């Protein structure tokens, strides 16, 4: 399990860095997952674990921030509700994008690491 956590953290950091590079940000979760799965090096199952953990590590701050903004801005008429709802919707879209593409990349990275050893 330690290698999966290590791979997930590597994937998280790489994905976060890749999100700031224009043009690369579309495939940032795939690249981060690929590197994280390669570090996790537990075969297909280890790559899936690392990808799911990477997603969980990325989801928690997003939902906490969206909830915080929603709570702070909920008292403002019209604009507060709009910001709160749009924050949750944007977070859900980013989570789905990161989860699906990151887990696929992580599984492929772990398979590549496994084949390297063979």
């Amino acid at each position: 399990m330690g290698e999966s956590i290590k791979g997930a953290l590597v994937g998280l950091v790489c994905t976060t860095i890749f999100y700031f590079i224009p043009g690369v940000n579309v495939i940032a979760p795939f690249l981060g997952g690929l590197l994280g799965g390669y570090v996790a090096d537990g075969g297909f199952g280890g790559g899936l674990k690392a990808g799911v953990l990477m997603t969980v590590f990325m989801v928690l701050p997003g939902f906490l921030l969206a909830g915080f903004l929603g709570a702070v801005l909920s008292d403002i008429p019209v604009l507060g509700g709009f910001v709160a709802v749009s924050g949750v919707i944007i977070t859900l879209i980013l989570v789905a994008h990161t989860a699906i593409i990151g887990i696929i990349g992580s599984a492929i990275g772990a398979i590549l690491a496994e084949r390297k050893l063979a």
Side-chain angles (χ1 to χ4, degrees):
M1 186 68 171
E3 292 297 317
S4 294
I5 293 174
K6 180 177 160 185
L9 291 176
V10 167
L12 171 71
V13 170
C14 292
T15 300
T16 304
I17 291 170
F18 290 143
Y19 264 135
F20 289 106
I21 302 173
V24 177
N25 57 1
V26 175
I27 58 169
F30 180 78
L31 295 174
L34 190 73
L35 293 171
Y38 194 83
V39 169
D41 190 22
F44 182 75
L48 284 178
K49 281 185 207 172
V52 169
L53 284 173
M54 180 184 82
T55 302
V56 169
F57 292 154
M58 290 192 87
V59 167
L60 290 177
F63 277 119
L64 290 175
L65 181 63
F68 175 74
L69 286 176
V72 169
L73 299 174
S74 65
D75 293 336
I76 300 173
V78 181
L79 182 64
F82 177 73
V83 170
V85 170
S86 63
V88 170
I89 290 172
I90 290 171
T91 301
L92 287 174
I93 291 170
L94 284 175
V95 164
H97 177 258
T98 301
I100 294 168
I101 296 175
I103 291 172
I104 291 169
S106 183
I108 292 172
I111 290 170
L112 290 175
E114 187 178 49
R115 290 189 183 209
K116 173 194 73 153
L117 296 173

